[in-house]
Amino acid sequence: MLKRYFIDEVTETRASRRQAFSLFSQVNGWADWCSVVRHARLFGGEWREGAALLFVADLPRLPPAPVVVRVQEYRENESIAWGLELPMASITHRFTFIDDGEGGCRVHQEEWSEGLMTLLTLPAGRLIHRFDQRFAREFAAMF
């Protein structure tokens, strides 16, 4: 099966794992600290597997792009993942929050596609990577 990673990186924060997870999980506030998110909303108001997440990606020189995904994994203070599952194709974006042993938190961000989705995302790979990196940098800068 075809598989492609868009990002597999760790970002250091000066926040505790609990603080970092708390800020991250406040979806309605993403646009307040992240320049590449114009709007975000978690339907149903709480993180849970199967919930719908909408965010509008706002990349330079491109029109705003609404993205709707399903929450695939939610473990409080540990990890959040969302993505799309289609016949013979999927895309997953996971954030794992790890204590650094010194009072801070590392956020491991992974995003990948599998199956036919990989072929469809080839032209957008660099854009997705830049979006993910900017999201991570701006998140870390909040602490």
Side-chain angles (χ1 to χ4, degrees), residues 4-118:
R4 179 182 187 201
Y5 271 84
F6 300 107
I7 195 163
D8 185 1
E9 297 178 5
V10 174
T11 303
E12 304 280 338
T13 74
R14 292 179 302 211
S16 70
R17 184 174 67 171
R18 188 176 298 277
Q19 289 170 318
F21 190 89
S22 177
L23 177 65
F24 186 88
S25 63
Q26 296 172 28
V27 174
N28 293 341
W30 286 1
D32 296 339
W33 55 263
C34 187
S35 65
V36 291
V37 174
R38 180 174 285 199
H39 174 76
R41 180 176 178 199
L42 183 63
F43 292 92
E46 65 182 48
W47 286 100
R48 61 176 171 68
E49 289 182 23
L53 170 64
L54 161 74
F55 62 94
V56 179
D58 197 5
L59 293 163
R61 297 181 301 280
L62 291 174
V67 178
V68 178
V69 292
R70 291 276 173 207
V71 175
Q72 297 172 333
E73 174 184 311
Y74 176 78
R75 293 188 319 235
E76 190 170 353
N77 297 318
E78 292 182 30
S79 65
I80 294 176
W82 58 75
L84 294 172
E85 295 286 334
L86 304 169
M88 299 174 40
S90 67
I91 189 165
T92 301
H93 199 169
R94 177 183 295 133
F95 296 82
T96 305
F97 297 78
I98 307 158
D99 285 320
D100 70 2
E102 299 176 8
C105 174
R106 293 182 180 106
V107 182
H108 182 200
Q109 180 182 193
E110 304 166 273
E111 185 167 16
W112 69 92
S113 62
E114 293 183 80
L116 295 177
M117 183 71 77
T118 301

